[in-house]
């Protein structure tokens, strides 16, 4: 090769490498996303939120606004995001093309494509929560879409609006379902727009509320996706189709309601679904176990790509409600308790997702840890540490002076190592992570430096240390994981250079 061609080729190689995204692979069929509400007294910084999303391999999220700090933090993460125009902005956007164009300019064009915005949710449950905005809803959607067309983004970013399933009347049997006819002047042009733009109907599906309002007609197991015998399944008398869970029945009711209005090719995207982990005394089934059961089964059901009885094999991607418990949200205790995580990044419960892929990895046995509970009494920690290293029969030699886990030399750090080692030796049994109340299970990897804890991805056979957890709120480092990615990236670049040189 001529010497004068070397530098351009080298620069081109480096450019290709630099342009390669470290993000998730392309979607294949159905996926699970997560909603992110912000009614928290201690809302994590956007960089902390993104770190948690990465740690849990959550690649799809929905925001209830278009917060610029969050969109900046999501840049180059590969995480795909639905942004939302809040209900209180609909009137202005529905009445003015220029207002819609300005909104798109500030909240989409300013961030795309570094931040992978895949859709814009125009309001949320507008027809049931803000009836005075109903007349301008479709206008707002069309104005936003026109702004995307002007920016040549209309084929990359969908526009829709989430509907409540309460708009669907007579939902069972699904084959008889139809939308509230009084809203047809809005719903028909909405569906016409979705069909013409190849968008999807966003729907919020809550079997919990259907179960609570059924006065015992809907069995709990049917609402929770639990296995039920065939003779207990719900049967659509018109189609003779059997339904083993409430979720599928409601999604099919949505398909039938659209078909009733002669729209048969619009896909459904479930923008909210979940189960609360706590409730008032009149909500006895809002429990940790039921929330865990519902969300674990929902994730498996969606990722199995089975579709619904009406449309088997057709992906019904779903966004779980929600990432965090929202302690300042208005309403009852259950309204505040739909989250998968607390504000500090600890899981509310450990999802039961063995062999169900990598998303929401807080369930996997090699990615949970047992550490000292924040604010625990130092004397009780010392006593628990002494027990773990004595009667508990764990190897505490790594926390001896001069060993990898000796520093920092304090009872909390040493207890973290001892508690986590004991926890993993007992098969990650949550009951083994108590130590008289001074320990708790977390997804935050306590490994540091050369001190690699049991269960850390850094403790695998390949000896590579990778940090998969969100850094602490006051962290200024991106952790070992980013260092490793950088190292691998540099190795790839060096490989290209060496190959080019060899070719010369």
């Amino acid at each position: 090769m001529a010497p004068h061609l070397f530098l351009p080729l080298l620069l081109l190689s480096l450019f290709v490498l630099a342009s390669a995204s470290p993000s998730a692979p392309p979607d294949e069929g159905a996926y699970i996303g997560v909603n992110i509400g912000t009614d928290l007294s201690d809302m994590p910084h956007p960089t902390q939120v993104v770190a948690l999303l990465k740690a849990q391999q959550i690649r799809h999220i929905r925001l209830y606004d278009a917060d610029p700090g969050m969109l900046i933090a999501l840049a180059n993460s590969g995480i795909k995001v639905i942004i939302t125009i809040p209900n209180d902005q609909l009137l202005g956007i529905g009445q003015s093309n220029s207002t819609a164009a300005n909104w798109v300019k500030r909240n989409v064009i300013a961030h795309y494509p570094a931040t992978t915005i895949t859709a814009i949710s125009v309001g949320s449950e507008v027809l049931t929560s803000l009836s005075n905005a109903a007349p301008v809803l479709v206008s707002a959607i069309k104005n936003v879409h026109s702004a995307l067309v002007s920016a040549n983004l209309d084929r990359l970013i969908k526009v829709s609006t989430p509907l409540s399933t309460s708009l669907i009347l007579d939902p069972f049997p699904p084959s008889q379902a139809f939308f509230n006819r009084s809203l047809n002047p809005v719903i028909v042009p909405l569906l016409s727009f979705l069909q013409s733009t190849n968008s999807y109907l966003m729907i919020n599906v809550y079997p919990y509320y259907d179960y609570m309002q059924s006065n015992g007609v809907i069995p709990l197991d049917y609402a929770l996706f639990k296995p039920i015998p065939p003779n207990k399944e719900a049967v659509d008398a018109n189609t003779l189709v059997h339904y083993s869970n409430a979720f599928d029945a409601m999604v099919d009711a949505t398909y039938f309601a659209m078909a009733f209005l002669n729209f048969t090719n619009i896909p459904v995207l479930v923008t909210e679904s979940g189960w609360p982990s706590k409730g008032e005394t009149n909500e006895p089934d809002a429990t940790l176990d039921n929330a865990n059961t519902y969300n674990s089964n929902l994730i498996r059901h969606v990722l199995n790509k089975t579709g619904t009885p009406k449309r088997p094999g057709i992906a019904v991607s779903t966004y779980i409600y929600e990432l965090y418990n929202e302690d300042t949200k208005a309403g009852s205790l259950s309204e505040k308790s739909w989250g998968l995580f607390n504000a500090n990044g600890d899981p509310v419960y450990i999802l039961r997702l063995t062999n169900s892929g990598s998303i929401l990895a807080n369930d996997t046995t090699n990615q949970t840890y047992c550490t000292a509970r924040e604010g625990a009494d130092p004397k009780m920690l010392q006593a628990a540490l002494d027990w773990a290293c004595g009667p508990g029969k764990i190897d505490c030699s790594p926390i001896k002076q001069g060993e990898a886990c000796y520093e920092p030399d304090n009872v909390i750090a040493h207890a973290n190592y001892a508690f986590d080692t004991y926890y993993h030796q007992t098969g990650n049994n949550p009951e083994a992570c108590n130590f008289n109340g001074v320990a708790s299970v977390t997804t935050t990897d306590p490994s540091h430096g050369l001190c690699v804890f049991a269960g850390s991805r850094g403790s695998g056979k390949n000896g590579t240390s990778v940090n998969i957890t969100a850094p602490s709120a006051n962290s200024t480092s991106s952790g070992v994981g980013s260092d490793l990615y950088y190292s691998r990236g540099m190795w790839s670049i060096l490989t290209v250079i060496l190959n080019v040189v060899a070719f010369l």
Side-chain angles (χ1 to χ4, degrees):
M1 178 181 293
H4 68 276
L5 295 178
F6 170 74
L7 184 58
L9 180 57
L10 176 59
L11 291 175
L12 176 61
S13 301
L14 295 177
F15 176 78
V16 170
L17 278 168
S19 301
S21 172
S23 61
D27 297 320
E28 296 179 2
Y31 61 82
I32 285 288
V34 180
N35 290 277
I36 303 178
T38 57
D39 288 330
L40 286 75
S41 57
D42 188 20
M43 180 67 197
H45 188 275
T47 57
Q48 296 300 112
V49 177
V50 173
L52 178 62
L53 297 174
K54 289 180 176 179
Q56 297 300 320
Q57 301 192 45
I58 298 169
R59 300 185 179 111
H60 298 264
I61 63 169
R62 174 174 169 241
L63 305 178
Y64 289 94
D65 53 22
D67 178 69
M70 192 67 200
L71 293 177
I72 290 170
L74 287 164
N76 303 311
S77 67
I79 296 170
K80 299 181 178 181
V81 55
I82 297 176
I83 58 175
T84 299
I85 298 175
N87 287 354
D88 60 8
Q89 297 181 30
L90 284 187
L91 289 176
I93 288 176
Q95 294 170 350
S96 168
N97 268 313
S98 62
T99 301
N102 286 334
W103 193 94
V104 169
K105 182 179 180 180
R106 289 194 317 271
N107 299 292
V108 179
I109 298 173
H111 301 282
Y112 191 90
T115 299
T116 311
I117 299 169
T118 58
I120 299 172
S121 164
V122 181
S124 182
E125 298 191 350
V126 175
L127 300 183
T128 49
S129 63
L130 194 67
S131 56
N132 66 316
V136 301
L137 176 60
V138 175
S139 295
I141 290 172
K142 289 182 176 179
N143 288 347
V144 169
H145 182 258
S146 295
L148 292 176
V149 170
S150 298
N152 201 29
L153 294 175
D154 55 301
R155 295 188 178 183
L156 300 170
I157 300 174
K158 305 291 187 184
V159 184
S160 187
T161 186
L163 303 182
S164 166
T165 54
S166 64
L167 296 176
I168 299 173
L169 305 183
D170 200 11
F172 201 91
S175 60
Q176 294 182 188
F178 58 94
F179 289 108
N180 185 331
R181 290 185 175 90
S182 68
L183 294 171
N184 280 359
V186 178
I187 292 177
V188 170
L190 168 63
L191 295 178
S192 180
F193 168 84
L194 298 178
Q195 181 173 263
S196 67
T197 59
N198 294 315
S199 190
Y200 29 65
L201 179 66
M202 295 176 170
I203 195 86
N204 296 339
V205 178
Y206 284 104
Y208 173 74
Y209 288 127
D210 294 336
Y211 163 74
M212 287 290 292
Q213 296 163 9
S214 73
N215 295 317
V217 173
I218 295 178
L220 181 61
D221 287 355
Y222 180 75
L224 292 172
F225 290 96
K226 283 188 173 181
I228 56 177
N231 63 336
K232 298 292 185 181
E233 293 178 342
V235 181
D236 187 323
N238 299 315
T239 62
L240 300 183
V241 168
H242 285 235
Y243 287 90
S244 61
N245 64 80
F247 179 90
D248 281 353
M250 186 52 70
V251 172
D252 274 1
T254 305
Y255 286 133
F256 277 107
M258 287 194 288
F260 187 84
L261 296 174
N262 297 315
F263 295 94
T264 58
N265 59 350
I266 300 173
V268 168
L269 177 70
V270 176
T271 36
E272 291 180 15
S273 194
W275 197 281
S277 59
K278 290 182 183 177
E280 308 289 357
T281 54
N282 63 340
E283 295 180 277
D285 295 300
T287 65
L288 281 170
D289 186 63
N290 285 343
N292 192 339
T293 298
Y294 180 82
N295 282 322
S296 296
N297 287 339
L298 172 64
I299 293 168
R300 271 193 294 269
H301 184 69
V302 170
L303 297 184
N304 283 343
K305 305 177 185 178
T306 54
T308 65
K310 178 173 172 56
R311 295 195 175 181
I314 303 298
V316 185
S317 297
T318 300
Y319 289 75
I320 293 175
Y321 185 81
E322 57 185 332
L323 186 65
Y324 295 114
N325 275 338
E326 295 186 88
D327 62 315
T328 61
K329 193 176 183 70
S332 65
L333 179 60
S334 66
E335 285 293 324
K336 310 171 192 290
S337 306
W338 294 77
L340 299 172
F341 294 88
N342 293 307
N344 65 359
D346 287 346
V348 176
Y349 45 84
I350 306 299
L351 287 162
R352 307 179 188 118
L353 295 176
T354 305
N355 300 322
S356 294
S358 58
I359 187 171
L360 285 162
N362 69 347
D363 76 299
T364 57
T365 56
N366 67 338
Q367 293 173 0
T368 56
Y369 312 89
C370 179
T371 58
R373 188 181 294 275
E374 186 175 352
D377 186 311
K379 292 182 179 178
M380 293 185 66
L381 281 177
Q382 185 64 58
L385 172 60
D386 292 341
W387 181 89
C389 295
K393 298 181 179 179
I394 66 165
D395 179 13
C396 287
S397 59
I399 57 176
K400 290 182 179 180
Q401 188 169 4
E403 299 299 327
C405 297
Y406 176 75
E407 296 289 348
D409 180 18
N410 61 59
V411 67
I412 295 175
H414 290 179
N416 284 345
Y417 182 87
F419 293 173
D420 187 65
T421 303
Y422 182 79
Y423 169 67
H424 282 90
Q425 284 187 1
T426 58
N428 295 57
N429 182 353
E431 295 180 1
C433 183
N434 183 278
F435 294 94
N436 288 327
V438 297
S440 62
V441 175
T442 179
T443 56
T444 301
D445 187 349
S447 301
H448 52 89
L450 297 177
C451 180
V452 180
F453 279 49
S456 169
R457 286 189 176 180
S459 64
K461 291 180 180 179
N462 60 9
T464 302
S465 180
V466 182
N467 180 10
I468 63 161
T469 63
S472 61
N474 59 0
S475 173
T476 57
S477 168
S478 59
V480 178
S482 60
D483 293 340
L484 178 63
Y485 181 78
Y486 177 78
S487 298
R488 286 176 176 166
M490 290 303 297
W491 176 250
S492 299
I493 291 173
L494 287 172
T495 301
V496 170
I497 294 172
L498 290 173
N499 286 339
V500 172
V501 172
F503 184 74
L504 289 172

